Amino acid sequence: LEEEDFRGETFKEWTCNVKGNNDMLSISQPHIIRGIYTEYLEVGGSSLIGTNTFSSTRIAMADYEMEDYVYELNYAGARLAREACDEVTAKDPSRPRFVVGALGPTNRTASISPSVEDPSARNVTFDELVETYFEQTVALVDGGADILMVETIFDTLNSKAALYAIGEYLECSGLDIPIFVSGTLVDQSGRTLSGQTGEAFYASIRHSKPMCVGLNCALGASHMAPFVERLSKCVECFMHVYSNAGLPNAMGGYDETPNDMALSNEVFFKNGWLNMVGGCCGSTPLHIAAIREVAKKYKPRKLPDIGRPKMWLSGLEDLVVDDVHNHLGLPFLNVGERCNISGSIKFKKLMMAGDYGSAMDIAKAQVEDGAHVIDINVDDGLLDGLAAMQKFVKIAVTEPEVAKVPFMLDASKFEIVMAGLKWCQGKPIVNSISLKVGEELFKEHATLLKKHGAAVVVMAFDEEGQAATENEKVRICKRSYDILVNEVRFPPEDIVFDPNVLTIGTGMEEHADYAVDFINATKRIKELCPYVKISGGISNLSFGFRGVTKIRESTHAVFLQHCILESGMDVGIVNANEMLALSEVDPEVLVACENLVFNRTPDATDVMLELTKKEKDMMEARKKGGVVEVKESSWRDLGASKRLEHALINGISQYVDQDVEEARHLVGKPLEVIEGPLMDGMNIVGDLFGSGKMFLPQVIKSARVMKKAVAYLLPFMDEEKKSNLIAQGIDPNSVDDSDDSNYAGKVLMATVKGDVHDIGKNIVSVVLGCNNYKVYDIGVMVPCEKILEKALEYNVDIIGLSGLITPSLDEMVVVAKQMSKAGFKIPLLIGGATTSKMHTAVKIAPNYFTDIHPVVHVLDASRAVTVVQSLLSEANKAEFIQDLSEEYEEMREDYYAGLEDRYFLTHEQAKQRSFKIDFDAVPPAPSPNRIGITVVDYVKIEDVIKFIDWNPFFQAWELRGRYPNRGYPKIFNDEAVGNEAKKLFDDAQELVQTIIKEKSMWLAGVVGLFPANRSCDGEDVHVYTDEEARVAGSPLATFCMLRQQAEKESDDPYFSQADFIAPSGYKDHMGMFAVSCFGCEGLVTKFESENDDYNKIMSQALADRFVEAFAEYLHRQIRTDLWGYAKGEQLDEADLLKIKYDGVRPAPGYPSQPDHTEKVTMWETIKCKELAGIILSDSLSMMPAASVSALVFAHPQSQYFAVGQIGKDQVTSYAARKKYDLDKMERWLSPILSYERD
């Protein structure tokens, strides 16, 4: 057929070439297609006819611009086949003929990157494939298809999308239509184009319950034989082959005659491998007839007997879990933990840096070391989990050494595992779901995973929390099983229960049976829930001994040996490279491990702790190339205070009472013993634990020593309290027994909503309680409303939030916002394994942190005491918060500066998402008292002294105190730099007085306040000389603004300074000023001539302080007088430095408007050079050097922000608005360009 034949009358005027689009012939030449169908049925004797719809998807038809004809193409293809089958069946009703609706693979691959440079690139998504296949399925069934066949599969992910679409259609329609699935092996490797073996391909799609599975195309029958044999042995349903008529010749044709092809297929029939046979490329009706004649002599393949249900996973290769033995010979599936952010610091750093290539190396190494499955977890509050999971999986499936094994997609948020699942062509395990979300959502999650064919880890959680005891583990797992199997109809063999491996050896009695409970529960769950698997995160077991691999892996070896062989544990998340066989465990350690795991002796934890310390010492000695020295302790010879410190650090309670009694007599109050030697000891414990030199059991023992010491002191503290009451004339017996004044403070502790982990919180509660703090622990999964309600009810001093899973981070942000909204004034503590100081600083603190109520990340339990003490100490609180505030600000700056791999909205998109102020609800500030230009030449140095912020002064001299002595004036107390800082400050004061007396420096500036409106496009601000000019639409100047474009993870707007000014129709105004400190150059010259570098630098540093103070002074004058929109403002100098006023004064060249060329507009508008003598250099530096300029925005919703990097589209627009050449504009904006200049 030629071009015009393909077009026919219907497509005669089509705008592109269509020759080769065979599917369109069902519309343009229906008689040809119907004739072909009939010939195969009558001449070939076919029982089933595949429809002419191989490429009839919206994706494939895009090549011919025929996307809108997809329904018609499929309907016509199926309808013609229906008519042909019905006609032939009518002639011989004993042989009914059936229509097989053909769904081809499309011309795109979801598992293979179209880019050599970017393995994560894809030209189609799973959801796009589902949409196009659903549309095709509807039309095929409407056209009369009896069967739906997903065929010529070279990428299994495409076929999974097709099968998902079919499943959705069948569910919606209520129909039950047989499904055939046919894969294509591209060469003699026996693999699909996307790399899967035939067995892996079948394991990936068997969840769709196909009636028939087989192979077609690509190879001739003779070349397919070994792969057909292998597939026939594993396929549980009917099996088919429809091969090509041999391999294509040099001209693309096929040379096998009908007889040749029939004989090539005979091997399949002789061996009983097939139930259905046919022909693909090159096979004519005569070929089919010949094959049919040969096949008649043989019996079809016998369906395999129904066997025991089995978990059958796949990557590029298949894996039957029941058949697995790990490298130690145990019947156990090793799930590699090193591609889990929680399981590998190295992996976390690589993911945070976006180094996916190196992350793949970790995955490869795990497979080499014996991992059967790779766990993938990218949960971190500072990482876009959705994007990271997708990118990792998309790259991983292209790495054969990684992708050959199945994946475990692991995330706290269900949408993240679903996103990863849609890029996974094999059959993975999803980790995890649980009843903690409630039955309905649990069933919804399970149903969705069932449709995708994934196995699932089910955690032993329910609405009440985490299962810790044996009975709770069994109860929750059995309940989950019954719902999954009986209601969702989830395959029981695809369920993996995780009954929670919890930490033993903590020193807390309630934790001692955690391992025994898990082992016993495993056996009972396997008995009550047929076919399920049992898994667990093994590293949790020995978390208290982190850092000492020998002890940890020995404990794991004992635990696994018993749990696997005696109770039937099947799966575990492990570091396969470090696993020990039981025979490899040292005899002494083996006994200790067994006692610890099975809780056989009361001192099991203490014995293990001693072994841990011994091993730690040996590790340190080996590092130094030496041996361990054993010294006799003489600590009892120390003074009482030092003995108490030693007892705390080493957890020795034997002598506490006598040492506390001795120490009590050395101080004025019993409380001083707590605040002195006892807290000194706890501080050391905190440092040792934080640096990995002390372990959790030791910390708990230290807390117990502390508790015993406090208990000894309490009667003396009570007596002191009674004496004080009597001295005040108050009867001690009249005081309420519930009086909590003896406590050092009250702390509310809660695990946030959605999180059931509370072990860490409990430990913190113990430690705080031992240090005389009243702790109100209100449990797990606590909603925000209850946290705030109980905090008010108990009148607590501090709220502590805990969480282990990543969604808890989001909930902590919610709590912080609600505390701020409700007007809380108490500190907020953040803790838990998934939290971090960086996340706290960047995500949580900005929502609540002030100098009264900070947000503090607490690294671990032992540090909680020092943090709480600092927050509740009137003497230390301010300094502690100031230090923390500075630290968090630095961390935020580092974080945002390090965001290199950013995505950007187009300029138009960013404009659509601008910051929108409701100027009707919050009107612009009133008209200024003085519109126009005001010269400010009357302010003296002495007028601004009280506005000076001295902290930058010391930073300029590179003097920085350490907490609690950071910042002015506390820096004077710093042990290292305090004396030098005081001398420097005194010298500065002396020079200041000289400058004032001699008037050797002076201040001058100029202010402009003008009517202003935002431009029509919302990107610039027009200023006018007066109201008449505004009405006339004649601007004095236009200030061009830049808008944020870097993509944000939240729904926050994309700011521009133009957003703070009202559009036309409102009477808004904008201010500006430029100020300088003059005379510094003269002093510098004077001191240079005297070779006095010290006072030369001092003069420059003071000039900077003077002008910054002048700017602060002048901004207040603008607010209260020149503009006058804040006449009643009552803020002291300290509040001004903390920006507690309405409005902002961003400077050109700084983050909110990083374009220095805007200074030119300002200088021309308010005549800075002419009226104040402040000039601009060629590079637009202000001269004198001690100068400050700024725009002034009065609206209370205006705020500081950083524009960040911007795209070329905005630069082009910005240059045009400023009437600059693009090249010139790019030079000025070079530091913030998100692209390389041409």
Side-chain angles (χ1 to χ4, degrees):
L1 299 179
E2 298 302 326
E3 176 71 22
E4 58 270 21
D5 299 314
F6 277 89
R7 290 171 178 264
E9 287 300 317
T10 307
F11 301 101
K12 188 174 182 178
E13 304 299 329
W14 202 248
T15 57
C16 68
N17 291 331
V18 294
K19 183 179 179 181
N21 184 1
N22 296 325
D23 291 21
M24 70 182 291
L25 295 173
S26 297
I27 298 174
S28 64
Q29 303 289 352
H31 64 284
I32 294 177
I33 300 304
R34 169 127 185 217
I36 293 172
Y37 289 155
T38 303
E39 191 173 356
Y40 274 102
L41 292 168
E42 293 186 337
V43 177
S46 299
S47 300
L48 302 97
I49 283 292
T51 57
N52 181 41
T53 54
F54 183 82
S55 298
S56 295
T57 58
R58 188 168 289 270
I59 291 171
M61 280 296 139
D63 289 349
Y64 301 102
E65 301 176 7
M66 299 186 73
E67 298 99 311
D68 292 338
Y69 282 83
V70 165
Y71 180 89
E72 190 174 347
L73 288 168
N74 284 284
Y75 181 86
R79 174 50 53 191
L80 292 171
R82 174 80 277 148
E83 291 171 357
C85 285
D86 290 348
E87 180 182 323
V88 175
T89 299
K91 295 176 183 178
D92 183 6
S94 66
R95 282 195 61 213
R97 313 300 173 94
F98 299 98
V99 178
V100 180
L103 297 87
T106 80
N107 52 2
R108 298 188 182 182
T109 57
S111 295
I112 302 173
S113 170
S115 168
V116 175
E117 293 79 15
D118 183 5
S120 69
R122 297 292 188 273
N123 56 16
V124 70
T125 68
F126 185 89
D127 290 338
E128 288 169 345
L129 287 166
V130 169
E131 185 177 357
T132 197
Y133 280 126
F134 189 93
E135 183 179 25
Q136 186 176 26
T137 299
V138 172
L140 287 171
V141 177
D142 286 352
D146 301 299
I147 297 163
L148 293 170
M149 178 159 66
V150 182
E151 66 164 332
T152 320
I153 297 164
F154 51 79
D155 183 344
T156 308
L157 186 53
N158 285 40
S159 70
K160 287 175 70 177
L163 293 167
Y164 184 89
I166 293 171
E168 291 296 280
Y169 172 76
L170 297 181
E171 182 179 333
C172 292
S173 65
L175 298 174
D176 185 9
I177 298 175
I179 299 171
F180 292 0
V181 184
S182 190
T184 294
L185 307 180
V186 295
D187 54 34
Q188 289 302 114
S189 68
R191 293 178 181 261
T192 63
L193 184 64
S194 55
Q196 279 196 316
T197 64
E199 294 90 337
F201 154 68
Y202 174 66
S204 302
I205 57 90
R206 66 191 282 261
H207 66 277
S208 64
K209 294 183 169 37
M211 175 182 281
C212 190
V213 170
L215 301 174
N216 75 288
C217 202
L219 304 174
S222 58
H223 296 92
M224 296 172 74
F227 313 122
V228 172
E229 180 182 12
R230 285 165 49 185
L231 194 58
S232 178
K233 290 179 178 177
C234 72
V235 166
E236 300 149 300
C237 57
F238 294 115
M239 172 84 182
H240 73 252
V241 165
Y242 53 109
S243 67
N244 294 342
L247 295 175
N249 58 33
M251 301 304 294
Y254 294 87
D255 297 327
E256 280 192 352
T257 66
N259 187 57
D260 292 337
M261 187 175 181
L263 293 176
S264 297
N265 275 270
E266 190 172 15
V267 64
F268 305 148
F269 315 144
K270 286 182 177 178
N271 288 286
W273 293 339
L274 298 184
N275 302 99
M276 184 183 86
V277 68
C280 196
C281 301
S283 59
T284 67
L286 293 175
H287 286 80
I288 302 302
I291 294 172
R292 185 168 182 270
E293 286 302 311
V294 173
K296 284 197 299 187
K297 299 183 291 184
Y298 300 96
K299 289 183 178 181
R301 169 178 172 266
K302 177 183 176 295
L303 279 175
D305 295 332
I306 296 176
R308 175 186 172 88
K310 59 188 176 184
M311 179 181 285
W312 196 350
L313 307 174
S314 62
L316 296 183
E317 299 172 5
D318 71 313
L319 183 144
V320 177
V321 175
D322 288 340
D323 297 341
V324 168
H325 283 69
N326 70 4
H327 59 300
L328 301 178
L330 295 171
F332 187 75
L333 187 80
N334 292 344
V335 178
E337 68 176 358
R338 311 309 288 174
C339 287
N340 183 322
I341 278 182
S342 300
S344 169
I345 294 174
K346 180 179 179 181
F347 181 73
K348 178 177 180 178
K349 289 179 178 178
L350 292 173
M351 292 303 295
M352 298 303 288
D355 188 352
Y356 286 82
S358 299
M360 289 303 134
D361 292 337
I362 292 179
K364 293 174 190 175
Q366 288 187 96
V367 177
E368 293 170 358
D369 290 335
H372 304 110
V373 173
I374 295 295
D375 181 72
I376 303 170
N377 180 294
V378 291
D379 278 358
D380 188 273
L382 297 177
L383 191 64
D384 183 345
L386 204 65
M389 174 64 83
Q390 292 184 81
K391 186 169 184 178
F392 187 94
V393 174
K394 285 194 283 187
I395 296 174
V397 298
T398 67
E399 295 279 353
E401 298 91 339
V402 177
K404 70 179 183 179
V405 302
F407 296 159
M408 177 179 279
L409 306 174
D410 186 352
S412 301
K413 294 181 178 179
F414 188 72
E415 61 265 29
I416 293 178
V417 293
M418 283 305 305
L421 185 57
K422 290 178 180 179
W423 291 113
C424 188
Q425 72 166 330
K427 180 187 178 80
I429 306 172
V430 164
N431 186 3
S432 60
I433 63 173
S434 75
L435 280 166
K436 75 173 183 179
V437 298
E439 274 195 24
E440 290 308 310
L441 190 54
F442 176 68
K443 288 190 283 190
E444 182 181 317
H445 289 168
T447 301
L448 197 52
L449 295 178
K450 176 189 171 190
K451 290 180 178 181
H452 281 271
V456 64
V457 175
V458 181
M459 301 296 295
F461 298 87
D462 65 5
E463 299 86 344
E464 301 302 316
Q466 178 186 40
T469 66
E470 176 185 340
N471 287 335
E472 281 298 288
K473 293 176 193 291
V474 175
R475 180 187 66 80
I476 293 176
C477 289
K478 182 62 168 69
R479 179 187 167 204
S480 301
Y481 181 87
D482 290 341
I483 293 171
L484 289 171
V485 176
N486 298 330
E487 297 183 43
V488 179
R489 301 297 178 186
F490 202 95
E493 67 272 20
D494 280 346
I495 299 171
V496 183
F497 280 119
D498 185 338
N500 307 321
V501 176
L502 302 175
T503 305
I504 59 174
T506 65
M508 298 179 73
E509 185 176 348
E510 57 267 38
H511 299 174
D513 281 328
Y514 278 165
V516 179
D517 284 346
F518 186 96
I519 293 171
N520 293 340
T522 294
K523 187 172 185 179
R524 290 174 59 192
I525 293 167
K526 296 277 284 199
E527 291 170 349
L528 292 171
C529 306
Y531 311 123
V532 303
K533 307 299 177 193
I534 302 293
S535 178
I538 307 305
S539 62
N540 293 343
L541 186 73
S542 62
F543 182 73
F545 304 100
R546 64 190 188 279
V548 184
T549 302
K550 177 180 176 180
I551 297 298
R552 297 194 71 180
E553 292 305 327
S554 297
T555 306
H556 300 166
V558 170
F559 175 78
L560 288 173
Q561 182 79 10
H562 291 279
C563 202
I564 293 169
L565 297 183
E566 295 173 11
S567 295
M569 186 180 186
D570 313 89
V571 184
I573 300 176
V574 297
N575 184 350
N577 188 45
E578 294 180 352
M579 292 178 71
L580 295 178
L582 196 65
S583 59
E584 297 176 295
V585 179
D586 290 347
E588 180 184 16
V589 176
L590 178 62
V591 173
C593 288
E594 288 179 338
N595 288 339
L596 182 68
V597 168
F598 292 101
N599 192 22
R600 289 173 176 165
T601 60
D603 63 346
T605 297
D606 292 332
V607 172
M608 185 60 78
L609 184 58
E610 286 300 317
L611 290 172
T612 302
K613 290 173 65 178
K614 178 181 175 182
E615 179 62 23
K616 185 73 172 178
D617 290 340
M618 293 175 66
M619 289 166 60
E620 293 295 327
R622 284 193 291 269
K623 286 181 184 177
K624 298 174 183 177
V627 295
V628 182
E629 288 187 30
V630 180
K631 296 181 179 179
E632 290 295 325
S633 174
S634 58
W635 69 279
R636 294 304 301 161
D637 299 328
L638 301 171
S641 295
K642 289 298 180 182
R643 292 201 303 272
L644 285 173
E645 285 183 25
H646 181 91
L648 274 168
I649 295 166
N650 292 276
I652 302 170
S653 58
Q654 183 179 356
Y655 308 100
V656 166
D657 287 357
Q658 64 190 73
D659 288 345
V660 169
E661 175 64 15
E662 186 177 337
R664 187 175 68 83
H665 289 288
L666 300 176
V667 296
K669 297 180 178 180
L671 184 60
E672 292 177 14
V673 179
I674 295 174
E675 294 178 338
L678 293 177
M679 284 311 306
D680 289 343
M682 285 305 290
N683 287 335
I684 295 171
V685 168
D687 291 337
L688 291 174
F689 186 56
S691 62
K693 296 178 180 178
M694 203 168 183
F695 305 98
L696 185 59
Q698 293 168 292
V699 175
I700 298 298
K701 292 179 74 175
S702 296
R704 286 176 175 169
V705 175
M706 185 72 171
K707 184 175 182 179
K708 185 173 182 180
V710 171
Y712 183 87
L713 289 168
L714 277 176
F716 298 101
M717 294 170 70
D718 287 339
E719 189 61 37
E720 182 181 49
K721 178 183 174 183
K722 289 179 182 178
S723 299
N724 290 336
L725 290 172
I726 292 171
Q728 297 172 44
I730 300 172
D731 181 4
N733 295 321
S734 67
V735 177
D736 188 356
D737 290 338
S738 63
D739 176 33
D740 53 21
S741 60
N742 267 346
Y743 289 106
K746 295 180 287 182
V747 181
L748 180 114
M749 299 288 293
T751 300
V752 295
K753 184 176 74 174
D755 201 328
V756 294
H757 300 87
D758 64 351
I759 293 175
K761 173 173 62 67
N762 294 342
I763 293 170
V764 171
S765 298
V766 169
V767 174
L768 288 175
C770 290
N771 286 273
N772 197 36
Y773 291 99
K774 175 66 174 177
V775 178
Y776 295 96
D777 184 345
I778 60 173
V780 300
M781 297 179 70
V782 186
C784 176
E785 300 77 22
K786 184 177 179 181
I787 292 172
L788 305 190
E789 174 192 329
K790 291 298 181 182
L792 292 172
E793 178 184 336
Y794 299 137
N795 191 28
V796 295
D797 303 300
I798 291 174
I799 293 176
L801 303 180
S802 177
L804 180 67
I805 58 176
T806 303
S808 298
L809 300 178
D810 299 333
E811 183 63 19
M812 290 174 179
V813 173
V814 170
V815 175
K817 288 180 178 178
Q818 291 303 311
M819 287 179 68
S820 179
K821 185 176 180 180
F824 275 76
K825 303 294 184 185
I826 59 177
L828 174 64
L829 306 187
I830 302 296
T834 194
T835 64
S836 68
K837 184 181 287 187
M838 180 64 80
H839 181 271
T840 302
V842 174
K843 300 290 186 179
I844 304 177
N847 294 292
Y848 185 67
F849 196 119
T850 73
D851 55 1
I852 298 172
H853 47 80
V855 180
V856 188
H857 179 257
V858 182
L859 184 64
D860 49 54
S862 60
R863 293 182 187 275
V865 176
T866 54
V867 169
V868 171
Q869 184 188 38
S870 296
L871 291 173
L872 299 184
S873 166
E874 289 299 324
N876 297 331
K877 179 179 178 180
E879 295 91 331
F880 177 82
I881 295 175
Q882 181 182 355
D883 176 72
L884 193 67
S885 178
E886 292 179 13
E887 181 183 9
Y888 281 7
E889 183 60 34
E890 290 174 3
M891 293 178 73
R892 282 191 288 271
E893 290 174 359
D894 290 344
Y895 171 74
Y896 289 114
L899 293 178
E900 297 176 359
D901 187 15
R902 299 292 296 273
Y903 297 94
F904 295 85
L905 273 66
T906 66
H907 188 210
E908 286 301 318
Q909 289 172 330
K911 286 163 64 175
Q912 292 299 315
R913 295 178 61 181
S914 64
F915 178 57
K916 296 175 176 61
I917 295 175
D918 185 345
F919 289 101
D920 292 322
V922 187
S927 180
N929 295 326
R930 298 187 200 178
I931 288 182
I933 299 172
T934 302
V935 177
V936 184
D937 56 4
Y938 49 81
V939 179
K940 300 176 182 179
I941 296 289
E942 51 265 43
D943 296 332
V944 304
I945 293 295
K946 62 183 180 181
F947 293 93
I948 291 178
D949 179 0
W950 286 103
N951 288 310
F953 173 79
F954 293 108
Q955 293 165 10
W957 287 93
E958 298 185 5
L959 290 177
R960 187 176 180 84
R962 295 181 179 274
Y963 174 80
N965 299 315
R966 292 177 67 175
Y968 171 81
K970 300 303 179 184
I971 191 173
F972 301 146
N973 301 322
D974 189 80
E975 182 178 351
V977 303
N979 291 335
E980 192 60 36
K982 188 63 171 67
K983 286 169 58 180
L984 180 73
F985 184 74
D986 290 343
D987 290 343
Q989 299 312 303
E990 184 179 341
L991 184 55
V992 167
Q993 293 307 313
T994 301
I995 290 169
I996 292 173
K997 180 180 179 181
E998 298 179 355
K999 294 183 171 54
S1000 49
M1001 291 189 194
W1002 63 96
L1003 306 170
V1006 59
V1007 177
L1009 300 171
F1010 302 99
N1013 288 111
R1014 190 164 68 228
S1015 62
C1016 293
D1017 68 351
E1019 296 305 281
D1020 302 325
V1021 175
H1022 301 307
V1023 298
Y1024 304 88
T1025 53
D1026 50 34
E1027 284 301 325
E1028 289 76 13
R1030 190 206 301 258
V1031 172
S1034 179
L1036 171 65
T1038 297
F1039 286 82
C1040 296
M1041 307 299 187
L1042 290 167
R1043 185 172 299 282
Q1044 295 173 320
Q1045 278 186 269
E1047 188 177 48
K1048 302 183 180 185
E1049 296 178 5
S1050 64
D1051 294 328
D1052 290 345
Y1054 289 75
F1055 286 99
S1056 163
Q1057 289 180 160
D1059 299 337
F1060 308 147
I1061 299 296
S1064 177
Y1066 294 87
K1067 288 188 176 182
D1068 205 348
H1069 298 78
M1070 187 174 77
M1072 60 202 74
F1073 67 78
V1075 293
S1076 289
C1077 177
F1078 293 85
C1080 181
E1081 292 82 355
L1083 274 181
V1084 167
T1085 301
K1086 172 181 179 292
F1087 289 126
E1088 279 181 341
S1089 67
E1090 297 171 357
N1091 295 314
D1092 187 351
D1093 288 339
Y1094 179 73
N1095 276 308
K1096 168 188 167 183
I1097 297 170
M1098 181 73 77
S1099 300
Q1100 294 169 321
L1102 286 174
D1104 287 342
R1105 293 301 88 220
F1106 292 154
V1107 75
E1108 290 287 354
F1110 184 20
E1112 200 67 70
Y1113 170 94
L1114 185 56
H1115 191 202
R1116 185 170 75 168
Q1117 288 298 104
I1118 292 171
R1119 297 192 303 273
T1120 60
D1121 182 20
L1122 298 177
W1123 194 330
Y1125 68 83
K1127 291 180 180 178
E1129 179 180 290
Q1130 297 291 325
L1131 298 175
D1132 60 23
E1133 291 76 18
D1135 287 336
L1136 294 179
L1137 295 178
K1138 295 172 183 174
I1139 317 176
K1140 292 189 175 182
Y1141 44 76
D1142 281 344
V1144 292
R1145 56 174 180 92
Y1150 281 77
S1152 295
Q1153 172 43 291
D1155 176 21
H1156 286 276
T1157 68
E1158 282 298 288
K1159 291 178 191 170
V1160 175
T1161 308
M1162 183 188 295
W1163 255 243
E1164 293 173 350
T1165 303
I1166 59 175
K1167 311 300 181 187
C1168 300
K1169 179 180 178 180
E1170 295 83 353
L1171 299 178
I1174 310 169
I1175 63 176
L1176 296 174
S1177 71
D1178 291 340
S1179 60
L1180 301 184
S1181 294
M1182 294 177 289
M1183 297 183 291
S1187 298
V1188 172
S1189 64
L1191 297 177
V1192 179
F1193 298 91
H1195 199 280
Q1197 293 181 22
S1198 59
Q1199 56 189 276
Y1200 293 104
F1201 63 92
V1203 169
Q1205 292 186 317
I1206 59 176
K1208 191 163 187 174
D1209 56 346
Q1210 180 170 189
V1211 177
T1212 302
S1213 169
Y1214 188 70
R1217 289 167 8 229
K1218 288 177 67 72
K1219 297 180 173 57
Y1220 275 39
D1221 291 336
L1222 179 60
D1223 183 62
K1224 178 181 179 181
M1225 196 75 262
E1226 287 179 329
R1227 288 199 304 272
W1228 280 109
L1229 298 178
S1230 179
I1232 63 166
L1233 299 181
S1234 65
Y1235 60 93
E1236 295 295 327
R1237 291 165 51 200
D1238 294 335

